[in-house]
Amino acid sequence: MRLRKFRVRAYRCIHDSGEITVGDLAAFVGRNESGKTTILQALTLLNRDEMVSELDLCDELSEELKGEIKLAEGEFELNSDEIRLLKQSFPGLPEMRKIKLFRTNKKPKVQYEFEDIQISEERNGELNSWENFSNQILSFLDTIPNHLRIQIDTKFFEGPPPKNQEVFDSGMAEFSNQFHVIAVQEPKVIEEWEKIYESPENQFSKLLSGESEKSALENFIAAELHPRFVYFSDYKKIYGNINLNEYLREEKGEQVSSIEFVEEFDKAETVRNLFYLAELDIKALDDVKGTPSKCIKLLNTASNRLTKKLNPAWKGDPIHVDLRYNPGNIMSVVISDVHRDGTVTNTGLLNRRAEGFKWTFSFIVNFAAETQRAELKEAILLLDEPARNLHPTQQRGISDLLKSLAGSNQVLYATHSPFMIFDYTPGNLLVVELDKRKHLSKIFYDYWNADDKTLTPILYGLSRGLVESIVDREIGTNSRPVIIVETMSDAMYLNAFDKFLQDPNISMNPLNVVAAYNKNSVLPLAIFYRNHGYKTFILLDNSDESKQISAQLVSNEFSPIQTIFFERDGKNLESIEDYIVLEDYLYAVNQTYEIRLRKEGYSNLTSREVTLKEKKGVLDNLRKIWEEHRDYDWGQFDNEEITRYICEKITLEETDFLSDKTKDQFRSLYRLIAERIRQYQNVMTKSDLAKFQRTRV
């Protein structure tokens, strides 16, 4: 079964999640303590044997909880095999493709709903169930002579249904043998018993449990089809040396301080899973450890099995795992890198590898083992913050592992890492957000409606394509020039005015404008793009910091042609805002800060008031004015707010406040950029020609 919809109510910090559609591989994204873990743990309430604690019920809904509330409910989609199995066992029922499960605060067991299918709750004597089969046996015994009847033990048929085929076969065989001994003098009675005993309808595999059609169906689903949620939150790392004495004591249930020989390790799951994958019997090892040749042969076989099972999930070059026995009853886990050319390097103890490597190795060991066990096949895996301590590239490797797991198991996981988000389809990406005033978690199916801080990892994830385009060394030379700018405002103005001017002679459409995070990131960003085949140009203001960046660019083998400073008519400009006529810019300022200015008795700031501050550029002059009014709660002047206002007006085509002079001044900027690109191309062409000529000589 696959979970397709769910709803959680009155559970911890969740009042009501609403109905949430979910895919085969779904990520829950949210800030710390937003409720991601709560969602995953709430889903475990749908496990057959799960218990509900009173402490987990939502305090704010105490009145509602006096009645019966569905704490967790899920709609499950059956696969073709499950549909066929139900049809074979209940041929009289319509075909079922969906089943609903829910657990309430008032009843201990999970309950079922079967769409709109009407299922009888009346006792059905024709039902091929254990109860009816038992009654058939007891009714038959009532027909045999009383002197035989009183000797026969019928406890097997008076108790609960057998747990499995083995218990059924054993009980039936024991009863049949008893019956033959007691009725040995009554061949006709034995003949009648054999008809019942050998009837094909009375095979355990065909017997249902339940006296009504509904109870039989529910019991059948509970026994054969009930989905299982498996929650993982603590991924225990395995290290290099395992103390087998302590491991065996722990296996026996004895209290131990440590399983690891070197590092402390409070549980044996990962060690146990390692041995499970290797198919290593520790008792068999104990028998041969005194004979080196037999011991080495046993461990080599186990090591090869382990390596074969781990490598399909391992990303990058394959590894080889060696299990080695050492004095003191210590098992060492030795890892080697196996390269594509067959060479083997970096052989050493696992505990010498990086923390990320150990975590990845342990994660894969646990999941490879747990998902290979019969009880976890087709289980719904709930992972709380997988790969949280790993490098981004390793997180991406784990995401590939989760994708492969989603083929046989539905995987739902909580994360706040942009590198663990790889599907932006609603239902495969859900946002969990906490309302701190109400201490109430909300789940957004339409995740784009979440608050900005919650959306941060998603937005970074959406930008991953840009990052990958930078670091992909197979990309070759890109024909589109890149302009690195210092601020987001620079990028917004360049793109907005390019569309606004609609001048094909100076259009920047072929260009990529990339805004640096801050001034310190301009240099590395330019180097990254340059090293990956892009014609890279850098647009700078005339601050001292920017002049230092220019010098650093030259020292990193950038041509002076590639560095462009803001200028107009031979004069340096302090910022891109200085390309806008002062009166035009002040119109945007006055509109944006209208309410604040009126409080101070201003109708509008004038160009004379601004220029009187005698700073180099419009932004410094305005910042001076705002500083002078800090006692009046003006705060700081935000030029990005003005940028957004102007660019929005351009988008809406409400540009009457922008003069022709402003347009001309921006045209001069585009001409400057175009000229620098042309100059650079000419220089590079000459350089390439010179290299060609030297090669021919």
Side-chain angles (χ1 to χ4, degrees), residues 265-318:
F265 191 77
D266 62 349
K267 291 185 180 180
E269 284 93 347
T270 308
V271 176
R272 190 178 298 115
N273 286 334
L274 186 80
F275 293 160
Y276 172 81
L277 291 174
E279 299 176 35
L280 178 61
D281 186 342
I282 299 300
K283 293 180 181 177
L285 175 64
D286 194 57
D287 293 338
V288 302
K289 64 185 182 183
T291 309
S293 59
K294 291 183 179 179
C295 183
I296 291 171
K297 184 178 179 180
L298 178 71
L299 290 178
N300 281 345
T301 303
S303 299
N304 289 332
R305 289 195 201 104
L306 181 59
T307 299
K308 188 176 180 180
K309 290 177 181 177
L310 292 180
N311 267 317
W314 194 264
K315 299 301 172 183
D317 285 338

Side-chain angles (χ1 to χ4, degrees), residues 207-261:
L207 291 177
L208 303 169
S209 176
E211 295 184 345
S212 70
E213 197 170 43
K214 186 176 182 183
S215 63
L217 178 59
E218 290 177 343
N219 290 334
F220 181 83
I221 292 172
E224 303 293 335
L225 299 177
H226 195 105
R228 186 180 178 197
F229 291 86
V230 183
Y231 176 75
F232 294 91
S233 63
D234 196 6
Y235 308 96
K236 298 292 185 180
K237 291 195 292 287
I238 188 173
Y239 295 90
N241 292 304
I242 303 164
N243 189 323
L244 294 178
N245 292 330
E246 294 191 4
Y247 173 76
L248 290 170
R249 285 202 295 272
E250 198 277 345
E251 286 286 277
K252 295 176 184 176
E254 299 175 11
Q255 189 69 32
V256 298
S257 60
S258 166
I259 289 173
E260 290 290 330
F261 181 61

